[in-house]
């Protein structure tokens, strides 16, 4: 099996630019029907993995051996959301490319997997409306 390409930077549509006066949108990751809220810029990072407190409520996630205990994290920088691998065994992938440094994410523009196919665990990044439901 050939190893997937490693990303230096990923092409694709840029996330919408927001002025500092605009409110940061509420985002969440969806996995098998469970939502993992993405912390806002002032709230710190959102950690993903088998033992990540942010994922503790997701049924069965702790039993997935293809995920590292601390696999990846989402952080905000200059109003934009980034994902970074935390030295996981099976890698973090954006649009099918293994990342080696933080990569920008935005709902509807990129696909996020933890581990590689066929054991990959796909997370869908969504924007939430004012009621906390995906748009």
């Amino acid at each position: 099996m050939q190893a997937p390409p490693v990303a230096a930077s990923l092409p694709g549509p840029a996330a919408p630019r927001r002025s500092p006066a605009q409110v940061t949108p509420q985002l969440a990751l969806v996995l098998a029907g469970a939502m993992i809220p993405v912390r806002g810029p002032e709230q710190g990072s959102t950690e993903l993995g088998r033992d990540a407190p942010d994922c503790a409520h997701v049924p069965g996630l702790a039993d997935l051996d293809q995920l590292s205990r601390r696999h990846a994290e989402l952080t905000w920088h200059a109003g934009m959301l980034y994902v970074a691998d935390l030295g996981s065994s099976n890698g973090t992938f954006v649009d099918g490319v293994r990342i080696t440094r933080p990569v920008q994410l935005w709902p509807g523009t990129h696909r996020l997997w933890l581990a590689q196919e066929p054991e990959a665990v796909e997370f869908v990044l969504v924007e939430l409306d004012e009621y906390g439901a995906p748009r």
Side-chain angles (χ1 to χ4, degrees), residues 62-106:
D63 299 325
L64 297 177
D65 291 335
Q66 65 267 45
L67 298 185
S68 295
R69 288 184 181 104
R70 296 183 63 242
H71 199 105
E73 73 177 346
L74 300 173
T75 55
W76 291 91
H77 179 70
M80 303 309 298
L81 184 66
Y82 289 83
V83 61
D85 186 80
L86 296 176
S88 68
S89 299
N90 293 319
T92 300
F93 297 78
V94 175
D95 296 334
V97 179
R98 189 172 190 155
I99 63 171
T100 58
R101 63 180 184 84
V103 172
Q104 185 178 331
L105 289 178
W106 202 253

Side-chain angles (χ1 to χ4, degrees), residues 12-75:
R17 292 282 176 198
R18 297 181 181 271
S19 70
Q22 289 178 310
V23 176
T24 301
Q26 288 186 319
L27 303 177
L29 291 167
V30 179
L31 171 66
M35 286 201 322
I36 302 167
V38 175
R39 295 176 189 208
E42 292 80 29
Q43 299 169 322
S45 64
T46 302
E47 193 171 300
L48 306 175
R50 287 193 330 253
D51 290 346
D54 296 313
C55 296
H57 68 284
V58 179
L61 192 69
D63 299 325
L64 297 177
D65 291 335
Q66 65 267 45
L67 298 185
S68 295
R69 288 184 181 104
R70 296 183 63 242
H71 199 105
E73 73 177 346
L74 300 173
T75 55

Side-chain angles (χ1 to χ4, degrees), residues 1 64-67 90 113-122:
M1 179 174 182
L64 297 177
D65 291 335
Q66 65 267 45
L67 298 185
N90 293 319
W113 292 276
L114 302 186
Q116 61 187 5
E117 296 288 359
E119 289 86 23
V121 177
E122 183 175 3

